[in-house]
Amino acid sequence: MNPPTARTTARALADAFLGAREWQVPALVARGRLVLDAEPDWLTDLARAAVTAWRVTPHDAPAELARVLLAVPGVFEPPVPEMVTSGEDGEDDDEDGFLVWAADEEPEGWQGARAAAPGSPRVVRWLPAHTRMGRTPWRVAPLDDLADVAELLATDLDHLAWYADRQGRQRAEPSGRLQLYRRHWRVRPGRVPRLLETPRPRLRTAQRVLLDRVLAPVPPHPAAHGFVTGRSAVTGAQQHVGADVVLTMDLAAFFATVTSGRVYATLRTAGYPEPVADLLTGLLTTRATRDDLATMPPGGSDAARAHVRSALAAPHLPQGAPSSPQLANLCAQRLDRRLAGYAAAAGAVYTRYADDLTFSGGPDVARRVGALRHGVARIVAAEGFALQPAKTRVRGRGARQTVTGIVVNDRTSLPRRELDALRARLTNAVRLGPSVQDLAAFDGDRGALRAHLAGRVAWVAQVHPVRGERLAALLAAVDWDPVDTHL
């Protein structure tokens, strides 16, 4: 029989302690006796350490409790050189096959197996951990354990284990029906290509449920205007109207750089127990396959390409999942708080629309915009994100100031050239039908072209309601009969 490890013993005792009727030393010691083949001298010390660290039972944190027990002085020996990989030795996964550690990696101090002190008792029984929701200020769906997740998503734990792919087996799978995502590269001239990752129907359905029941009740930071009910690119741009200077910056590979560790931390903040947060993290994140990374199209600098490739190889938010926009906002809360506080201290206004950061202010901000720019870059880097230097812009009153494509010099408006081009495009389509060039851009798909034009009209209507109505009337008058197209 293999010798006991401190990790195994600490985890078994943590799960046992969580089932105690009261959070008191005698009750915890009694539970500890049930899992060991003998009562060691240090069992009381571990129980005392647990009740000292928490005044009430930490039902949502079995792994954190195990780490506290492992750190009690004089109980366990230092780590041995041999490394143990989770899920490979048969004892590091819980009964349902899910890890109880943070999503990215095991916590510091757990990477190596530790031998228990010589003569330590063995774990002879593993009592299930009774996990429950922690405190939360939001009306999120209560999910006390993995069974609750399966019930919410109307499936079983085996399917959830496959969807979550916590062992990363999908990375080596070739494209096909076994892949949980459909992936394709979108080429962008002169820029790093973007990998679109669209979940297959069953996983997408599960993500929509999690969006509605788990993510939507948690409010994003007030500075976030993208993908937020009641806010938009227009509301964000309105915050910067009439400024002496407007500074715009762009986050590189925003969704890809939202790591699974950030997702896990966000779900824990929402009150979900560690095993539940870990499972949900797997359902809401993915990794690019080796084949996809190997077929990355050309575009962008070597450094920018390496950044995107590295981010996509790690668990990240998929750009194409219904849950990703809201989750990206929640995971950027700390970034938003820091940037908003820094901007306020400098007398500036800060907003974010997805990956677009905007700062504006009066004469004092204009004089010190260089310092503001460098300070923002430091905060962004400290928060684990990266900027696209080529997309940083500083515009004074004498230039056209735009925020997410909206002109904000004196009021919110769209560039005249953009409006005229769209009106001419629709007018010609009314007279002659959709152009060959337009249809070619959408591979002859008239429905896709019509949807694209409808989106452009809706965008104008947000900024210019009256002009939007006129353009909508033109779009409605287009004959989409496929008989003739003009050049």
Side-chain angles (χ1 to χ4, degrees):
M1 180 180 295
N2 293 330
T5 66
R7 181 177 178 181
T8 302
T9 304
R11 285 185 57 186
L13 288 173
D15 287 356
F17 287 175
L18 292 179
R21 292 185 177 181
E22 56 181 359
W23 195 246
Q24 301 292 336
V25 171
L28 268 57
V29 170
R31 289 281 294 180
R33 295 191 189 109
L34 298 178
V35 302
L36 302 177
D37 63 357
E39 181 178 350
D41 295 338
W42 41 258
L43 183 57
T44 299
D45 294 335
L46 295 187
R48 187 176 295 112
V51 298
T52 300
W54 287 274
R55 293 195 299 177
V56 295
T57 308
H59 283 294
D60 64 321
E64 187 176 351
L65 173 57
R67 288 195 294 271
V68 169
L69 301 183
L70 183 69
V72 174
V75 176
F76 302 113
E77 294 181 349
V80 297
E82 181 182 359
M83 301 296 290
V84 176
T85 303
S86 298
E88 293 181 354
D89 60 359
E91 65 179 12
D92 290 328
D93 290 2
D94 67 9
E95 294 178 351
D96 294 312
F98 298 102
L99 300 178
V100 297
W101 317 111
D104 270 347
E105 58 185 12
E106 296 175 358
E108 183 178 356
W110 288 81
Q111 288 86 345
R114 296 189 186 188
S120 292
R122 297 180 182 276
V123 174
V124 294
R125 183 182 180 190
W126 202 292
L127 301 177
H130 298 277
T131 59
R132 288 207 300 265
M133 288 282 293
R135 292 183 179 180
T136 176
W138 306 297
R139 294 185 177 182
V140 296
L143 302 173
D144 291 325
D145 52 33
L146 302 183
D148 287 344
V149 180
E151 182 177 357
L152 175 69
L153 300 180
T155 187
D156 55 57
L157 289 176
D158 287 338
H159 277 89
L160 291 181
W162 177 42
Y163 295 154
D165 189 31
R166 302 306 290 128
Q167 287 75 39
R169 293 169 181 166
Q170 290 261 316
R171 286 200 67 200
E173 286 286 344
S175 299
R177 296 182 63 183
L178 293 180
Q179 276 291 339
L180 295 168
Y181 289 83
R182 296 185 179 94
R183 296 180 172 88
H184 72 274
W185 289 99
R186 175 175 291 177
V187 178
R188 302 185 295 173
R191 301 169 60 188
V192 178
R194 176 176 293 163
L195 182 63
L196 299 183
E197 301 170 294
T198 305
R200 293 189 180 272
R202 290 186 179 180
L203 178 56
R204 182 168 64 248
T205 298
Q207 290 172 342
R208 288 190 182 278
V209 173
L210 295 178
L211 170 63
D212 294 337
R213 301 293 306 281
V214 171
L215 305 176
V218 185
H221 191 275
H225 287 261
F227 322 114
V228 181
T229 302
R231 305 178 209 168
S232 65
V234 178
T235 62
Q238 287 171 345
Q239 310 304 310
H240 306 284
V241 171
D244 284 83
V245 66
V246 174
L247 167 65
T248 56
M249 310 175 84
D250 192 83
L251 297 175
F254 178 48
F255 281 82
T257 49
V258 177
T259 64
S260 60
R262 295 179 188 274
V263 175
Y264 176 86
T266 297
L267 294 168
R268 290 286 290 124
T269 301
Y272 289 106
E274 290 167 338
V276 171
D278 185 74
L279 172 60
L280 296 184
T281 297
L283 296 175
L284 296 168
T285 61
T286 187
R287 295 183 183 185
T289 68
R290 296 189 180 111
D291 288 346
D292 286 317
L293 295 178
T295 58
M296 183 180 188
S301 67
D302 291 342
R305 291 173 62 83
H307 172 74
V308 171
R309 191 188 300 273
S310 175
L312 291 173
H316 62 275
L317 288 186
Q319 187 159 352
S323 50
S324 290
Q326 169 72 355
L327 193 47
N329 277 338
L330 301 183
C331 291
Q333 281 261 17
R334 179 180 165 90
L335 173 68
D336 288 335
R337 286 198 303 269
R338 293 190 64 181
L339 291 179
Y342 183 74
V349 174
Y350 161 69
T351 62
R352 179 178 58 80
Y353 187 89
D355 56 358
D356 295 321
L357 314 179
T358 305
F359 303 82
S360 67
D364 289 342
V365 175
R367 284 192 295 268
R368 296 178 294 176
V369 70
L372 175 64
R373 175 179 173 178
H374 291 302
V376 169
R378 287 195 298 270
I379 292 174
V380 168
E383 289 300 313
F385 294 96
L387 292 170
Q388 296 192 58
K391 298 192 70 175
T392 296
R393 298 285 187 274
V394 178
R395 299 180 178 91
R397 291 287 295 170
R400 187 173 70 180
Q401 299 170 329
T402 59
V403 177
T404 58
I406 300 174
V407 180
V408 295
N409 288 69
D410 299 307
R411 64 183 186 279
T412 55
S413 62
L414 293 176
R416 169 68 63 178
R417 181 179 299 178
E418 178 181 333
L419 293 172
D420 291 345
L422 181 58
R423 183 173 62 250
R425 191 177 181 186
L426 292 173
T427 300
N428 288 337
V430 170
R431 294 173 179 171
L432 305 171
S435 71
V436 171
Q437 293 90 337
D438 278 349
L439 287 173
F442 291 88
D443 297 325
D445 188 338
R446 292 169 178 267
L449 172 59
R450 187 174 186 175
H452 169 76
L453 293 175
R456 298 302 303 167
V457 170
W459 167 242
V460 172
Q462 289 189 59
V463 185
H464 301 291
V466 175
R467 292 178 181 175
E469 290 181 6
R470 295 171 182 167
L471 294 175
L474 286 174
L475 178 63
V478 175
D479 183 2
W480 294 95
D481 191 317
V483 174
D484 294 317
T485 57
H486 69 280
L487 297 179

